[in-house]
């Protein structure tokens, strides 16, 4: 799994956790969270750092629009602490990724 794929799975899992707790009881995301998720995945596809990207929380480029940024922050505040027992492997990998803050240009 590439760095970006892993980040996509982490963000999707976080949005799903949040949506299930706050909006939708079913397996599918509600309409708003679906849009937020699509947006987050599209941002990752366009991430200028690619495989060398820091985790979004520690990234120097804030590529989200302000309203989307506010929404994803709310999701992460709720889901972040819960990831470690709902998705322990993803949470662990994400934590490891967060330790590397250097950008690709500086790391070699
Ligand atoms: Zn929702």
């Amino acid at each position: 799994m590439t760095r970006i794929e892993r980040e996509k799975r982490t963000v999707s899992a976080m949005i799903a956790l949040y949506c299930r707790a706050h909006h939708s009881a079913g397996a599918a995301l509600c309409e708003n969270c679906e849009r937020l998720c699509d947006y987050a995945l599209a941002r990752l596809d366009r991430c200028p750092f690619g495989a060398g990207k820091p985790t979004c929380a520690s990234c120097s480029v804030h590529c989200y629009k302000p309203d989307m940024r506010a929404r994803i922050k709310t999701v992460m505040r709720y889901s972040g602490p819960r990831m470690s027992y709902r998705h322990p492997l993803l949470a662990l990998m994400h934590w490891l990724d967060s330790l590397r803050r250097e950008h690709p240009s500086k790391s070699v």
Side-chain angles (χ1 to χ4, degrees):
M1 206 189 324
T2 68
R3 182 75 186 69
I4 293 291
E5 280 167 15
R6 190 158 71 234
E7 197 92 347
K8 283 182 178 179
R9 284 178 53 164
T10 305
V11 75
S12 314
M14 283 177 139
I15 293 170
L17 272 181
Y18 180 82
C19 188
R20 245 167 257 153
H22 293 88
H23 317 130
S24 146
L29 296 177
C30 75
E31 205 179 310
N32 279 332
C33 293
E34 177 100 52
R35 260 203 298 276
L36 178 62
C37 192
D38 284 348
Y39 182 80
L41 299 185
R43 297 319 305 169
L44 281 169
D45 278 335
R46 290 174 185 80
C47 179
F49 297 115
K53 84 181 282 302
T55 53
C56 290
S58 60
C59 192
S60 55
V61 177
H62 295 304
C63 66
Y64 279 48
K65 289 188 294 184
D67 58 324
M68 287 301 194
R69 185 168 157 75
R71 284 170 61 189
I72 201 76
K73 278 182 104 165
T74 308
V75 167
M76 288 187 173
R77 243 195 321 270
Y78 173 84
S79 298
R82 286 161 179 82
M83 282 296 284
S84 51
Y85 61 88
R86 295 295 297 275
H87 300 279
L89 188 62
L90 277 180
L92 175 69
M93 298 300 282
H94 193 71
W95 178 76
L96 289 174
D97 288 335
S98 75
L99 298 179
R100 39 177 298 172
R101 281 157 192 269
E102 78 276 21
H103 289 163
S105 53
K106 291 176 191 162
S107 65
V108 182

